[in-house]
Amino acid sequence: MKLTARGRYAVTAMVDLAMHEHEGPTSLSDISDRQTISLSYLEQLFAKLKKSNLVDSVRGPGGGYQLSRSCREIFIADIVDSVNEQVDATRCAGKADCQGGETCLTHELWSDLSEQIHNFLSGVDLASLVGKREIQKIAKRQSAFQDTSLRSPDKSTLLPATQI
Amino acid sequence: MKLTARGRYAVTAMVDLAMHEHEGPTSLSDISDRQTISLSYLEQLFAKLKKSNLVDSVRGPGGGYQLSRSCREIFIADIVDSVNEQVDATRCAGKADCQGGETCLTHELWSDLSEQIHNFLSGVDLASLVGKREIQKIAKRQSAFQDTSLRSPDKSTLLPATQI
DNA sequence: TAATACCCGACTAAAATGCTTGGTTATTTA
DNA sequence: TAAATAACCAAGCATTTTAGTCGGGTATTA
């Protein structure tokens, strides 16, 4: 498990994809514009995301990428792993000087901890991130209503508290 | 939050420190030998660990480093943060093109997710890692007893199951 | 006073990162 | 059928980061 900007870009792009799911395929240039990520960098990321079966592609005009399955079935760990081809933390896996002694501590420890982090991120799905984002949007809109005193007397546009 | 080899080294070194806590200060050259991490690299890491008040130092012969507090009060997140001076994920924090729109998605999302990971690693303390390591040692010793048929008739050397 | 071991800063080779350039190919629409 | 679109692909590249070295200190102990 490795957490760098590359993973951040990938997760962001996937959330963008999830948020525009209903509009059909999303082109990378759209994502590039919205999230200000270089187009060709996105291409590289999506090549990996596709290889990992996280997205499907549609070529030609009107084409783009789509989530391969529900955003409730795509987990952050999948995304990060997909673009971050994992480094070989076990480079001395079978070496002579790494037998039972404390030298192995390094790998044992980290691979164990790494697994814990991985398990954790395997429990966070795209839907939950999208959900949070949507909530923020709503909250923002609501406070905007309050701030500018533009709130309409019709309160039906505001979601009930239980839904937030 | 960033997870690289640097963090792995730091965590490993701290676990090593924790495992030799009862022997007084541990010198970096000891850790260097045991964990095969370059001495001067360790020095750099420990300069940061000390600045973060995770370790105390004792100079002169017989000196070395000690945990500043109980290994149950030192968390993995502290260690990783200490050596990995956090990257500025909010570089466009106040920029004009980052107002309320979707451009902000990047930072919002990742800082949120990053916080979740951070919270998770803030719940894992050094003691639990050391504990696991100890358990592995015991298990290994026990299976060694079984494998080589060297198990003595006196079973008092084996810990009761409840202690494992 | 000699040995130990922390402390400190500058430097560096190698790797990774984020990104560019310059294409090709499949598909749709005019 | 031609033009536009957008995925696909490979090579290269400037910068940053990483992991580590080197060469000095300075405090403490024996």
Side-chain angles (χ1 to χ4, degrees):
Chain A
M1 202 56 168
K2 213 168 52 165
L3 287 181
T4 63
R6 179 191 250 110
R8 178 170 76 235
Y9 284 136
V11 171
T12 303
M14 289 292 279
V15 169
D16 186 286
L17 214 57
M19 289 178 66
H20 296 86
E21 212 176 3
H22 48 92
E23 303 164 21
T26 305
S27 74
L28 293 190
S29 55
D30 279 356
I31 300 180
S32 174
D33 290 343
R34 280 194 292 256
Q35 309 302 336
T36 49
I37 305 172
S38 135
L39 176 60
S40 22
Y41 194 49
L42 279 176
E43 285 181 344
Q44 289 172 39
L45 295 180
F46 274 79
K48 295 184 178 187
L49 293 171
K50 197 192 174 182
K51 200 178 286 181
S52 307
N53 285 319
L54 294 174
V55 295
D56 292 326
S57 64
V58 180
R59 302 183 72 155
Y65 286 93
Q66 283 172 314
L67 298 182
S68 66
R69 49 186 188 270
S70 158
C71 55
R72 238 162 298 136
E73 296 170 293
I74 294 179
F75 301 93
I76 305 307
D78 300 333
I79 299 170
V80 173
D81 281 344
S82 171
V83 299
N84 262 344
E85 67 257 26
Q86 74 253 21
V87 81
D88 55 336
T90 54
R91 54 180 158 175
C92 89
K95 272 175 68 181
D97 56 299
C98 191
Q99 45 192 5
E102 309 213 37
T103 323
C104 252
L105 187 57
T106 317
H107 320 104
E108 284 179 45
L109 266 184
W110 197 255
S111 65
D112 176 61
L113 187 59
S114 197
E115 197 186 315
Q116 287 188 50
I117 298 166
H118 196 274
N119 285 344
F120 170 70
L121 288 182
S122 291
V124 183
D125 62 13
L126 267 186
S128 75
L129 290 189
V130 173
K132 272 195 181 168
R133 175 64 184 172
E134 300 273 284
I135 287 168
Q136 283 180 3
K137 263 188 175 171
I138 292 167
K140 203 166 213 168
R141 198 178 58 212
Q142 286 181 330
S143 66
F145 270 128
Q146 291 184 317
D147 290 351
T148 56
S149 303
L150 287 175
R151 179 193 284 148
S152 80
D154 176 20
K155 291 190 176 182
S156 66
T157 53
L158 295 176
L159 293 167
T162 51
Q163 214 166 319
I164 303 174
Chain B
M1 201 59 172
K2 213 165 53 164
L3 287 181
T4 62
R6 179 193 249 111
R8 180 170 73 237
Y9 285 137
V11 171
T12 303
M14 289 293 278
V15 169
D16 186 287
L17 215 58
M19 289 178 67
H20 297 85
E21 213 176 3
H22 48 92
E23 304 164 21
T26 304
S27 74
L28 292 190
S29 54
D30 279 357
I31 300 181
S32 175
D33 289 342
R34 279 194 294 255
Q35 309 301 337
T36 51
I37 305 172
S38 134
L39 176 60
S40 22
Y41 195 49
L42 278 176
E43 284 180 342
Q44 288 174 41
L45 295 180
F46 274 79
K48 297 185 176 185
L49 292 171
K50 195 190 175 183
K51 200 179 286 178
S52 307
N53 284 320
L54 295 174
V55 294
D56 292 326
S57 64
V58 180
R59 300 182 73 155
Y65 286 94
Q66 284 172 314
L67 298 181
S68 68
R69 49 186 188 273
S70 158
C71 56
R72 237 163 299 134
E73 296 171 293
I74 294 179
F75 301 93
I76 304 306
D78 301 332
I79 300 171
V80 173
D81 281 344
S82 172
V83 298
N84 262 343
E85 67 258 25
Q86 75 254 17
V87 80
D88 54 336
T90 54
R91 56 179 157 175
C92 90
K95 274 175 65 181
D97 56 297
C98 190
Q99 43 192 5
E102 310 211 34
T103 323
C104 254
L105 186 59
T106 317
H107 321 104
E108 285 179 45
L109 267 183
W110 197 254
S111 65
D112 176 60
L113 187 60
S114 196
E115 198 186 315
Q116 288 187 50
I117 297 165
H118 196 275
N119 284 343
F120 170 69
L121 288 183
S122 291
V124 183
D125 61 14
L126 266 187
S128 74
L129 289 190
V130 173
K132 271 195 182 167
R133 175 65 184 171
E134 302 272 285
I135 288 168
Q136 284 179 2
K137 265 189 175 171
I138 292 167
K140 202 167 215 167
R141 200 176 59 212
Q142 286 181 331
S143 65
F145 271 127
Q146 291 184 317
D147 290 350
T148 57
S149 301
L150 287 175
R151 179 193 283 146
S152 78
D154 175 21
K155 291 190 175 181
S156 65
T157 54
L158 295 175
L159 293 166
T162 51
Q163 213 167 320
I164 303 175

